[in-house]
Amino acid sequence: MSTEFATGQISLTDAAQAVKQVKDNISRVLVGQDAIIEDVLTVLFAGGHVLLEGVPGLGKTLLVRALAKSLSVSFSRVQFTPDLMPSDVVGHSMYDMKSGDFNIKKGPAFTNILLADEINRAPAKTQSALLEVMQEQQITIDGETLSIDSPFMVLATQNPLDQEGTYPLPEAELDRFMMKIELGFPSLEAEVELLKLNTKVVSNESEVSQLPAVLSVSNIAQIKQLCADILVDEKIYNYAVELVRSSRTWQGVLHGAGLRASINIIKAAKVMALMNGRDFVTPDDVKLVVPNILRHRLILSADLELEGVSFNEVISAILASVEAPRS
């Protein structure tokens, strides 16, 4: 049953509790990935898109399906393949023999939650079909521009190991994703629990369809507005900008993060504050969201890659080098 808030009377406590409800709902089928679920919900309420990267079997698709079921929104899934065309994603115009007119047939991108499964399996021309809708929440077909209802969120998945027959996402498209979240293996206890859940007659993946919808479209809009109104001190703004600017001049980083990075850091930090029941952002909120926001926006030099230096190590060093505001 969806949680309903009285119009204009939603409180921080109500919102934080509602977000926790969604998190708990998803955790019923996705065991041992609480931090990942929290990151995805952060992106949802910050109004962004997310790139999920992990080896097969970690529950990337399951996570997106569980999220969609937990919200009273429309959901579409597109399996990206080498022969997928842009029109298969956004739609196309069709000639009607009876009327003599061209009618627009909307593609799966006309939805609230879009799962772009294995997005790097499709060539660049198909990947680029999402550029307009991810940035402007609208799609242009044969000169006609159609808007997409809110909320709108793209969750794309990719496998970091199997690179044969794949097309790396260009920097312009990567930059449109608020976060790149890396899924790792769960703990021993969580993996044992998953084993038990998936060796029954009905697996936990089948249980996704039984998840109740926790939040409605209006609830999501209210929570997003509350997140946007979270207070941010001038020192926090400066801190976020200094972190991003440091990435541009960091030794061994060929290209640092752009303006979207600092914007997304503040947006995500506001959601983190709300999740913790606060109406103001702290430096710790910023530190928590920075790795996922910077990870896909940095291009490391060949020297760093040969030395085996990871993106996470570079980001940790940047965070350590910039002094956080104390008050």
Side-chain angles (χ1 to χ4, degrees):
M1 192 73 178
S2 293
T3 303
E4 288 298 336
F5 306 120
T7 305
Q9 295 181 3
I10 179 174
S11 67
L12 265 173
T13 306
D14 290 337
Q17 185 59 37
V19 175
K20 185 179 183 302
Q21 256 188 294
V22 179
K23 181 181 174 182
D24 292 343
N25 208 42
I26 298 171
S27 298
R28 288 167 57 184
V29 293
L30 191 71
V31 179
Q33 299 284 14
D34 288 355
I36 302 299
I37 296 170
E38 194 168 284
D39 289 336
V40 169
L41 291 177
T42 299
V43 176
L44 169 67
F45 294 113
H49 311 285
V50 63
L51 180 62
L52 298 166
E53 185 174 275
V55 298
L58 292 180
K60 299 185 294 295
T61 304
L62 179 66
L63 167 59
V64 181
R65 288 175 56 216
L67 172 67
K69 284 296 294 182
S70 298
L71 310 172
S72 297
V73 297
S74 58
F75 169 65
S76 294
R77 174 179 178 175
V78 181
Q79 189 67 46
F80 278 64
T81 57
D83 60 346
L84 193 74
M85 300 296 290
S87 58
D88 296 326
V89 179
V90 298
H92 57 277
S93 59
M94 294 180 64
Y95 182 69
D96 189 331
M97 297 284 287
K98 292 182 179 179
S99 65
D101 296 325
F102 282 93
N103 298 322
I104 289 179
K105 179 177 172 57
K106 294 181 179 180
F110 286 87
T111 188
N112 297 125
I113 302 288
L114 176 64
L115 169 56
D117 216 359
E118 295 192 275
I119 190 171
N120 56 336
R121 292 271 172 209
K125 66 178 181 180
T126 304
Q127 293 174 5
S128 63
L130 291 173
L131 288 174
E132 180 186 12
V133 69
M134 288 176 70
Q135 181 64 27
E136 301 167 48
Q137 207 169 313
Q138 65 181 32
I139 292 174
T140 302
I141 301 174
D142 287 349
E144 184 174 350
T145 300
L146 306 168
S147 61
I148 307 293
D149 293 334
S150 292
F152 176 72
M153 182 183 187
V154 175
L155 296 104
T157 70
Q158 63 180 22
N159 174 5
L161 298 181
D162 187 5
Q163 297 301 320
E164 188 174 342
T166 61
Y167 305 83
L169 290 171
E171 281 71 29
E173 183 151 9
L174 281 171
D175 198 39
R176 279 170 168 78
F177 287 101
M178 174 176 276
M179 288 187 182
K180 178 183 178 183
I181 300 172
E182 295 179 340
L183 279 80
F185 289 102
S187 65
L188 173 62
E189 294 78 9
E191 197 162 344
V192 170
E193 184 62 27
L194 280 168
L195 182 62
K196 293 175 182 176
L197 288 171
N198 283 286
T199 50
K200 296 177 181 177
V201 175
V202 179
S203 70
N204 74 317
E205 292 202 19
S206 303
E207 295 293 330
V208 173
S209 59
Q210 306 301 319
L211 290 177
V214 178
L215 292 182
S216 67
V217 171
S218 61
N219 297 156
I220 297 168
Q222 286 175 296
I223 294 173
K224 287 174 75 172
Q225 182 60 56
L226 199 58
C227 289
D229 294 338
I230 296 288
L231 298 174
V232 182
D233 189 86
E234 192 71 25
K235 292 177 181 177
I236 299 291
Y237 284 121
N238 291 334
Y239 181 47
V241 171
E242 284 177 27
L243 287 169
V244 172
R245 289 176 68 89
S246 293
S247 75
R248 300 173 195 159
T249 56
W250 197 260
Q251 182 69 33
V253 175
L254 295 181
H255 296 285
L259 294 176
R260 281 198 188 105
S262 49
I263 292 170
N264 287 331
I265 286 170
I266 295 299
K267 283 183 174 181
K270 286 182 174 185
V271 181
M272 290 298 298
L274 178 135
M275 286 180 174
N276 288 286
R278 281 184 277 100
D279 62 353
F280 60 93
V281 173
T282 67
D284 285 341
D285 295 326
V286 172
K287 291 176 183 178
L288 282 171
V289 302
V290 160
N292 287 334
I293 290 174
L294 291 189
R295 183 177 290 121
H296 56 299
R297 291 183 163 90
L298 308 182
I299 299 178
L300 303 185
S301 67
D303 290 342
L304 282 189
E305 290 184 349
L306 286 171
E307 292 171 15
V309 178
S310 68
F311 288 100
N312 292 339
E313 288 172 327
V314 172
I315 295 167
S316 294
I318 291 172
L319 280 167
S321 72
V322 178
E323 186 176 355
R326 296 183 182 277
S327 59

